[in-house]
């Protein structure tokens, strides 16, 4: 049996999309919040064989798709697919046990090609047998639509002029300092919120927001925070973002977001937001509609899954 492990609110948007797409494609599965007790993998177990046919394995065993392989305090099932959404190219130092757990997967899916390079480079030795690693990008799905389309026609009238969702640190505070100052002066009302996960929290925030700010948590190499950017665009929020070190996503989103100048800091974020707010209402409304249409055309999660992994669940597919 195939299970989708829904054990953290961060990945709820992914779980909802996978559940709907799998159902549409007649892939038998269930969504659960924890592995069955009998499926838990003993900590001292050896790495399992990787030359498995996924369809056949699901026929005779419980297989879990999990997004929290990096949560070292949580046990892993005996058979699991690691779907990684963590940024592995930043200056964050990862515990080697995270990579050991990745290598114990029967398969690794990763949303970034840059991450995949790191996963391969971190192999302890050339003889280590690793699972098949597949690029499974994150994209738009209808479950990310939180507001009615007619509300797009009033996007310019949204009271929160800018919004930053997610954890703050010194880097982000520095990038946003001028926008925060204008907010404190009552000139440019904005919001910083940590309540950024789950449909209700995102719907509430996006319904009232004109510009969504995306600035990276880490210095140096980063990947676009697409799990936040895509719902923004889908719900008529104009995204202003730094570029990343992932050319695949940066190229895809060049018509979907407004990138600040490379190396730009707090002044560039302030200038770019103010330029958007100076646009005519009709132009802002047209912009958010045009970007949503482009998102649906170029960034379909169902198409990404179809191109990468859906065929693996077909009984006629042969493991290559």
């Amino acid at each position: 049996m195939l299970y989708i492990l829904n054990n953290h609110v961060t990945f709820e948007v992914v779980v909802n999309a996978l559940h709907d797409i799998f159902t549409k494609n007649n892939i038998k599965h269930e969504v659960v919040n924890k592995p069955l007790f009998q499926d838990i993998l003993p900590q001292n177990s050896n790495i399992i064989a990787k030359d498995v046919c996924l369809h056949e394995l699901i026929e005779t065993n419980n297989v879990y798709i999990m997004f929290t392989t990096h949560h070292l305090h949580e046990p892993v099932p005996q058979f699991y697919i690691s779907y990684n959404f963590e940024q592995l190219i930043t200056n964050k130092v990862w515990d080697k046990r995270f990579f050991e757990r990745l290598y114990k997967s029967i398969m690794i899916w990763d949303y970034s090609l840059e991450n995949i390079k790191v996963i391969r480079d971190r192999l302890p030795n050339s003889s280590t047998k690793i699972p098949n690693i597949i690029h499974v990008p994150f994209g738009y799905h209808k479950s990310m639509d939180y507001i009615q389309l007619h509300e797009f026609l009033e996007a310019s009238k949204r009271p929160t002029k800018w919004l930053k969702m997610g954890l703050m640190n010194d880097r982000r505070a520095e990038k946003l300092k001028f926008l925060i100052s204008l907010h404190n002066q009552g000139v440019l009302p904005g919001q910083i919120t940590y309540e950024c996960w789950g449909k209700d929290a995102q719907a509430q925030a996006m319904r009232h927001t004109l510009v969504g700010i995306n600035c990276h948590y880490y210095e140096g190499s980063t990947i676009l925070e697409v799990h936040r950017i895509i719902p923004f665009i889908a719900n008529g929020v104009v995204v202003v973002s730094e570029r990343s070190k992932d050319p695949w996503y940066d190229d895809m989103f060049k018509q979907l977001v407004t990138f600040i100048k490379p190396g730009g800091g707090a002044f560039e974020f302030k200038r770019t937001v103010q330029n958007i707010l100076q646009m005519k209402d009709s132009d802002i409304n047209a912009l958010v509609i045009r970007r949503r249409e482009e998102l649906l055309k170029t960034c379909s999660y169902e198409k990404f899954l179809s191109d990468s992994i859906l065929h693996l669940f077909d009984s006629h597919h042969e493991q290559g």
Side-chain angles (χ1 to χ4, degrees):
M1 182 65 182
L2 178 67
Y3 293 102
I4 301 175
L5 196 55
N6 185 22
N7 60 344
H8 199 283
V9 68
T10 302
F11 304 103
E12 185 178 287
V13 64
V14 187
V15 171
N16 292 339
L18 288 183
H19 171 59
D20 186 83
I21 294 169
F22 282 8
T23 300
K24 180 180 177 181
N25 286 272
N26 299 313
I27 298 172
K28 186 179 179 181
H29 69 284
E30 292 182 13
V31 177
V32 295
N33 58 18
K34 61 181 179 180
L36 299 177
F37 179 77
Q38 65 267 26
D39 293 335
I40 298 298
L41 183 67
Q43 291 186 354
N44 60 350
S45 65
N46 294 322
I47 298 177
I48 64 171
K50 303 299 186 252
D51 51 347
V52 296
C53 173
L54 184 57
H55 175 78
E56 292 180 1
L57 189 64
I58 292 172
E59 287 290 312
T60 56
N61 297 273
N62 292 332
V63 176
Y64 295 81
I65 299 173
M66 62 183 299
F67 313 97
T68 53
T69 309
H70 60 293
H71 289 181
L72 302 182
H73 62 283
E74 297 176 359
V76 294
Q78 181 177 3
F79 299 110
Y80 61 100
I81 297 168
S82 290
Y83 194 173
N84 179 58
F85 284 92
E86 300 307 302
Q87 296 191 35
L88 305 183
I89 65 173
T90 71
N91 57 7
K92 178 176 179 176
V93 178
W94 290 96
D95 191 306
K96 68 176 183 179
R97 290 174 295 170
F98 168 38
F99 288 90
E100 291 172 353
R101 285 158 63 104
L102 281 177
Y103 299 144
K104 285 185 178 182
S105 311
I106 61 171
M107 193 173 290
I108 299 172
W109 301 347
D110 201 295
Y111 85 117
S112 169
L113 288 169
E114 302 307 304
N115 276 345
I116 291 175
K117 296 175 185 177
V118 174
I119 294 172
R120 295 190 185 281
D121 289 344
R122 285 289 297 265
L123 282 174
N125 57 70
S126 58
S127 63
T128 300
K129 192 173 185 180
I130 65 170
N132 189 18
I133 306 175
I134 303 175
H135 183 216
V136 186
F138 183 67
Y140 162 82
H141 181 260
K142 63 183 180 181
S143 60
M144 301 169 197
D145 292 338
Y146 304 141
I147 67 174
Q148 301 296 317
L149 289 182
H150 70 81
E151 296 180 74
F152 281 55
L153 300 177
E154 298 183 349
S156 60
K157 295 181 173 61
R158 294 176 180 177
T160 303
K161 299 308 178 185
W162 62 271
L163 170 70
K164 172 69 189 82
M165 302 179 79
L167 294 175
M168 288 292 287
N169 63 355
D170 290 343
R171 184 187 190 281
R172 283 177 167 170
E174 173 63 25
K175 296 289 184 180
L176 300 178
K177 65 181 181 181
F178 291 147
L179 287 173
I180 294 172
S181 177
L182 291 176
H183 168 79
N184 292 337
Q185 297 171 37
V187 177
L188 200 62
Q191 182 183 9
I192 297 173
T193 178
Y194 311 114
E195 300 296 327
C196 56
W197 305 114
K199 183 174 182 177
D200 292 341
Q202 290 198 343
Q204 179 67 17
M206 294 178 188
R207 180 170 284 111
H208 299 96
T209 299
L210 176 55
V211 177
I213 303 294
N214 185 66
C215 53
H216 305 306
Y217 189 88
Y218 296 101
E219 291 285 359
S221 298
T222 56
I223 302 168
L224 280 185
E225 290 80 355
V226 290
H227 56 285
R228 187 173 299 121
I229 291 174
I230 290 173
F232 269 150
I233 301 169
N235 291 281
V237 177
V238 181
V239 177
V240 173
S241 177
E242 298 176 280
R243 293 185 180 274
S244 78
K245 294 296 184 179
D246 187 321
W248 193 90
Y249 278 117
D250 278 20
D251 183 66
M252 175 173 290
F253 281 85
K254 63 186 178 183
Q255 302 299 327
L256 299 174
V257 308
T258 301
F259 285 117
I260 66 170
K261 293 181 179 179
F267 176 78
E268 277 301 312
F269 271 112
K270 178 180 76 73
R271 184 188 67 83
T272 305
V273 171
Q274 288 179 321
N275 286 345
I276 293 170
L277 297 179
Q278 290 171 3
M279 295 169 60
K280 295 179 181 179
D281 288 359
S282 58
D283 290 340
I284 291 176
N285 297 339
L287 175 65
V288 298
I289 292 173
R290 183 171 68 250
R291 286 186 172 180
R292 175 185 162 84
E293 291 174 347
E294 183 69 17
L295 178 77
L296 270 60
K297 183 170 63 175
T298 63
C299 202
S300 163
Y301 202 13
E302 183 165 4
K303 184 179 186 305
F304 290 158
L305 294 178
S306 179
D307 290 345
S308 58
I309 54 94
L310 290 186
H311 65 280
L312 299 175
F313 301 97
D314 187 345
S315 60
H316 301 293
H317 172 74
E318 294 183 2
Q319 195 81 3

